[in-house]
Amino acid sequence: MKVVCIDDTKLPQGASVKEGTEYEVIAQYVNGMEQKVYIIKGIVNEGRTQFGLHWIGYRAERFAPLDRKVVEIHDEHEMFV
């Protein structure tokens, strides 16, 4: 699945995603904090926070999917005078 980063604020140390950049998700799971997490192809996916906690993957909320097809439906109303 392809995604684009929409939030690169407050990243843990060692994280390397950049807002506006497209990435490919190679795996996803729900972590111990009940957050959906993506493992991203070709970048660092783990490290330690500034408090020494181990992190793996990136929260899915930081990304928007690119593979979804958007269907727009327009309802046209004609007014008769």
Side-chain angles (χ1 to χ4, degrees):
M1 166 174 60
K2 292 197 183 248
V3 295
V4 63
C5 179
I6 58 172
D7 179 14
D8 65 356
T9 59
K10 298 183 181 177
L11 290 168
Q13 292 177 347
S16 60
V17 294
K18 300 279 186 225
E19 190 169 333
T21 304
E22 294 180 16
Y23 298 96
E24 185 175 344
V25 175
I26 57 174
Q28 58 185 330
Y29 69 97
V30 176
N31 68 12
M33 297 178 66
E34 304 274 331
Q35 298 170 324
K36 185 175 180 181
V37 175
Y38 291 154
I39 303 298
I40 307 293
K41 181 178 181 178
I43 63 171
V44 174
N45 282 289
E46 66 180 293
R48 295 240 175 239
T49 67
Q50 63 184 3
F51 303 109
L53 301 172
H54 189 237
W55 63 269
I56 300 174
Y58 296 88
R59 286 191 341 247
E61 294 88 33
R62 293 188 182 277
F63 302 92
L66 289 177
D67 291 344
R68 288 191 182 162
K69 293 181 182 177
V70 176
V71 176
E72 292 185 24
I73 300 172
H74 298 277
D75 190 15
E76 295 181 23
H77 296 280
E78 293 182 15
M79 295 181 65
F80 297 97
V81 181

